């Protein structure tokens, strides 16, 4: 160090190995953060040179170690500083010359520890007063050692560091993500969105059965309002004009239909009050068609339908004598003709018919296509909130499957039937959630939107057990 004067520098900084191995290239660092005017002399003690040199074959740090060796090589060969930054401030890089260390004078420094060697060598650099020496390190251990020996220290800021290289796990994750992107480029980009057409703060009703005395009174009133029709025959009547089955059908009406109706009336009104609309939209937003698309909807806590279910709410209709069987036979001849389904059309493999599962098939769901299904959920208020619809999409050219869950939270309220409707006046005390759509369909006589269920019995076993 006799060939140049280190004391001519404004700042004399000693770097450790991590400054070179973990930091950005030395010429690119913001040296003005240490000394705005300069010049700055960066010195490297032999221990730091040795540590960096050992990293030349390191898989992660080898490139940086070799770059630093090329940078400091001219200074090591000439013994003179090498300018690495023209400033401002000017920054020169040089190799420090150290005196022999008397380790017996340092009872707190271990000569076999790398950080201790660095600190001891800085303390023994020739020609520089201790108060002018500044240790620049990323690690706390050498800073703590240097501070105990009255050396000034500065921790390297985080923004001087290079971005950490990915770990083996991160590299594998990145590889897998790249592979997924490659696979997605050959797959359809399918998505499912489902929205419930109801406002927040939804209240559903769990309706109690009618008391037995009210059931008997209501049954008697219905039978009185629907008396049996007397059929008369004369010698001039055709046998086709007389309904021989009417008496049996009317007897069943009185003995089975009416009692079942009054016993299950509360469940019929539950269905009326607990139907909620929803809209499902399937989309293929990519550039690849979906081959053999299968979309399934599974209801948790209810069932699914495509029409509004209407039971006879204010009394079942009494049977009427039928004058001829021929007309009904002819009228029903063409009921089961099935139209062919094209490859691009959506087909219900399991239809929306008040069951918990709906399944839709499409042989060729083209890219850019959007398909919409307007459905109605029949929610069981006893199942517990939230009601859920699980949508799953699969295709023969889609790896795996796409699944989404759509929840509808609600409050369940236990009520009597009289709190909701007036059976005598046939008036609502509380509107049903879908009253606007229901009234519109009635006004338009839209039978495609309404599903009238006249003779179907409603399962009331649970309520009978509760009532008992």
């Amino acid at each position: 160090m006799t060939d140049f004067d280190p004391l001519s520098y404004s700042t004399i900084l000693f770097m450790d190995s991590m400054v070179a191995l973990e930091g950005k290239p030395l010429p690119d660092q913001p040296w003005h953060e240490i000394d705005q005017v300069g010049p700055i002399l960066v010195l490297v003690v032999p221990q730091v040179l040795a540590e960096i040199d050992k990293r030349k074959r390191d898989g992660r740090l080898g490139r940086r170690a070799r770059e630093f060796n090329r940078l400091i090589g001219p200074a090591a060969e000439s013994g003179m500083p090498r300018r690495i930054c023209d400033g401002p401030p000017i920054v020169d890089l040089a190799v420090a010359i150290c005196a022999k260390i008397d380790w017996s004078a340092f009872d707190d420094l271990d000569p076999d520890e790398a950080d201790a060697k660095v600190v001891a060598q800085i303390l023994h650099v020739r020609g520089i007063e201790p108060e002018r020496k500044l240790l620049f390190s990323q690690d706390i251990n050498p800073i703590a050692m240097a501070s105990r020996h009255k050396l000034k220290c500065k921790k390297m800021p985080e923004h001087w560091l290079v971005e950490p290289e990915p770990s083996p796990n991160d590299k594998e994750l990145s590889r897998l993500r790249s592979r997924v992107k490659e696979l997605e480029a050959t797959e359809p980009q399918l998505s499912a969105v489902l929205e419930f057409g109801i406002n927040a703060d939804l209240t559903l009703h769990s309706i109690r059965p009618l008391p037995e005395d009210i059931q008997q009174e209501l049954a008697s009133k219905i039978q009185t309002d629907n008396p049996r029709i007397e059929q008369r025959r004369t010698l001039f009547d055709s046998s086709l004009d007389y309904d021989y089955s009417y008496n049996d059908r009317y007897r069943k009406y009185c003995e089975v239909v009416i009692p079942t109706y009054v016993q299950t009336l509360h469940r019929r009104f539950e269905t009326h009050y607990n139907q909620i609309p929803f809209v499902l939209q399937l989309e293929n937003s990519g550039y690849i068609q979906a081959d053999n698309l299968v979309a399934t909807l599974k209801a948790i806590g209810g069932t699914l339908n495509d029409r509004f279910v209407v039971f006879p709410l204010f009394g079942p209709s009494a049977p009427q004598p039928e004058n001829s069987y021929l007309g009904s036979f002819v009228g029903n001849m063409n009921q089961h003709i099935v139209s062919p389904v094209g490859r691009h059309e959506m087909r219900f493999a399991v239809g929306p018919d008040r069951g918990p599962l709906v399944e839709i098939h499409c042989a060729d769901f083209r890219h850019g296509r959007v398909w919409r299904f307007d459905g109605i959920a029949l929610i069981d208020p006893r199942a517990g909130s939230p009601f859920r619809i699980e949508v799953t999409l699969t295709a023969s050219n889609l790896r795996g499957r796409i699944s989404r869950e759509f929840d509808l939270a609600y409050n369940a309220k236990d009520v009597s039937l009289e709190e909701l409707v007036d059976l005598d006046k046939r008036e609502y005390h509380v509107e049903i959630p879908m009253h606007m759509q229901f009234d519109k369909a009635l006004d338009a006589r839209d039978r495609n939107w309404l599903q009238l269920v006249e003779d179907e019995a409603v399962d009331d076993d649970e309520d009978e057990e509760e009532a008992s």
Side-chain angles (χ1 to χ4, degrees):
M1 309 261 313
T2 59
D3 295 334
F4 73 97
D5 184 10
L7 300 181
S8 63
Y9 291 88
S10 174
T11 298
I12 303 175
L13 180 147
F14 292 86
M15 57 170 275
D16 72 356
S17 60
M18 290 297 102
V19 175
L21 297 176
E22 301 289 353
K24 298 173 184 176
L26 294 182
D28 300 332
Q29 296 286 24
W31 294 103
H32 64 275
E33 295 180 0
I34 295 177
D35 187 337
Q36 293 185 353
V37 179
I40 300 174
L41 176 62
V42 179
L43 291 175
V44 184
V45 296
Q47 178 62 30
V48 171
L49 287 174
E51 291 179 13
I52 295 176
D53 201 54
K54 287 191 301 184
R55 299 287 187 172
K56 288 188 300 184
R57 300 292 181 181
D58 187 281
R60 184 175 73 90
L61 301 174
R63 178 178 57 82
R64 297 177 194 169
R66 291 191 295 272
E67 288 177 354
F68 177 78
N69 282 348
R70 286 193 294 269
L71 185 66
I72 202 171
E77 293 173 358
S78 66
M80 298 293 293
R82 178 184 179 181
R83 184 147 300 174
I84 61 173
C85 183
D86 292 327
I90 292 173
V91 181
D92 290 343
L93 179 67
V95 177
I97 299 177
C98 304
K100 185 177 180 180
I101 301 173
D102 181 8
W103 288 102
S104 63
F106 301 104
D107 57 357
D108 63 333
L109 297 180
D110 184 352
D112 296 325
E113 184 182 354
D115 288 341
K117 286 184 179 181
V118 171
V119 172
Q121 287 178 357
I122 294 174
L123 292 172
H124 286 74
V125 170
R126 297 172 179 172
I128 303 175
E129 296 86 350
E131 62 271 12
R132 295 289 311 277
K133 299 175 181 178
L134 173 64
L135 172 62
F136 191 55
S137 174
Q138 169 65 14
D139 297 330
I140 296 300
N141 189 47
I143 290 177
M145 292 181 184
S147 297
R148 291 199 301 269
H149 291 272
K150 310 303 181 183
L151 286 175
K152 292 188 295 183
C153 302
K154 183 174 180 61
K155 190 174 186 298
M156 186 169 71
E158 294 291 332
H159 62 273
W160 284 50
L161 297 171
V162 295
E163 293 297 326
E165 293 188 5
S167 66
N169 288 338
D170 292 336
K171 290 181 180 179
E172 178 63 13
L173 181 60
S174 178
R175 187 190 68 80
L176 292 175
R177 286 174 176 170
S178 298
R179 179 57 177 160
V180 168
K181 289 183 178 180
E182 292 177 5
L183 294 176
E184 288 177 347
T186 61
E187 291 183 332
Q189 301 296 306
L190 301 176
S191 63
V193 177
L194 188 146
E195 294 182 355
F196 293 97
I198 198 69
N199 296 328
D201 300 325
L202 173 64
T203 298
L204 301 181
H205 297 90
S206 175
I207 305 176
R208 296 188 290 272
L210 291 173
E212 290 189 8
D213 57 337
I214 296 180
Q215 290 185 26
Q216 295 174 0
E217 180 182 342
L218 180 58
S220 177
K221 183 178 183 303
I222 293 172
Q223 186 170 346
T224 301
D225 293 341
N226 296 271
R228 185 171 64 87
I229 298 174
E230 294 292 336
Q231 297 186 94
R232 296 182 179 182
R233 295 187 60 192
T234 67
L235 295 175
F236 303 100
D237 292 332
S238 168
S239 61
L240 293 177
D241 294 329
Y242 188 86
D243 186 356
Y244 292 94
S245 68
Y246 172 70
N247 289 337
D248 289 337
R249 289 190 293 113
Y250 184 79
R251 182 170 59 255
K252 180 182 178 182
Y253 172 72
C254 295
E255 296 176 358
V256 177
V257 175
I258 294 177
T260 300
Y261 165 78
V262 296
Q263 292 170 6
T264 62
L265 184 58
H266 64 294
R267 297 300 293 269
R268 298 167 186 256
F269 271 98
E270 272 190 6
T271 299
H272 197 60
Y273 269 90
N274 298 333
Q275 297 184 67
I276 302 299
F278 68 87
V279 175
L280 169 68
Q281 183 168 290
L282 304 180
E283 182 176 3
N284 184 354
S285 58
Y287 299 97
I288 306 296
Q289 70 185 32
D291 296 330
N292 302 314
L293 171 69
V294 177
T296 60
L297 286 73
K298 182 180 179 182
I300 310 297
T303 57
L304 304 172
N305 202 23
D306 60 348
R307 292 178 291 170
F308 189 90
V309 177
V310 181
F311 288 100
L313 299 179
F314 298 102
S317 300
Q320 300 292 319
E322 297 177 358
N323 294 328
S324 173
Y325 298 99
L326 183 60
S328 61
F329 173 77
V330 174
N332 292 331
M333 287 180 63
N334 298 323
Q335 284 186 355
H336 299 289
I337 297 178
V338 179
S339 301
V341 178
R343 286 184 53 81
H344 309 304
E345 298 180 24
M346 308 296 279
R347 175 177 65 86
F348 284 99
V350 179
D353 191 18
R354 290 182 292 151
L357 185 69
V358 173
E359 185 172 305
I360 307 114
H361 292 184
C362 182
D364 183 358
F365 192 64
R366 290 294 178 89
H367 63 274
R369 185 179 174 190
V370 177
W371 181 76
R372 170 183 170 129
F373 169 63
D374 291 273
I376 296 178
L378 288 69
I379 303 177
D380 181 0
R382 297 173 178 81
S385 179
F387 170 73
R388 173 173 298 166
I389 297 180
E390 299 176 352
V391 180
T392 303
L393 305 179
T394 61
S396 58
N397 59 337
L398 177 69
R399 296 168 181 83
R401 64 179 184 173
I402 298 171
S403 298
R404 288 199 61 185
E405 296 179 350
F406 302 91
D407 291 352
L408 176 64
Y410 62 86
N411 300 310
K413 185 177 181 180
D414 183 72
V415 296
S416 65
L417 186 56
E418 292 83 355
E419 295 178 60
L420 301 178
V421 296
D422 188 325
L423 293 176
D424 292 331
K425 297 181 179 179
R426 299 192 174 189
E427 295 178 350
Y428 291 99
H429 296 322
V430 178
E431 292 282 7
I432 64 175
M434 295 186 66
H435 68 92
M436 296 180 64
Q437 299 95 319
F438 182 70
D439 293 342
K440 181 179 178 181
L442 289 181
D443 293 340
R445 298 183 180 274
D446 185 0
R447 295 187 177 183
N448 292 326
W449 190 80
L450 296 169
Q451 182 179 6
L452 180 62
V453 184
E454 295 192 15
D455 298 326
E456 181 178 288
V458 179
D459 185 10
D460 195 40
D461 295 340
E462 295 178 1
D463 292 316
E464 289 180 354
E465 293 177 2
E466 293 175 2
S468 63

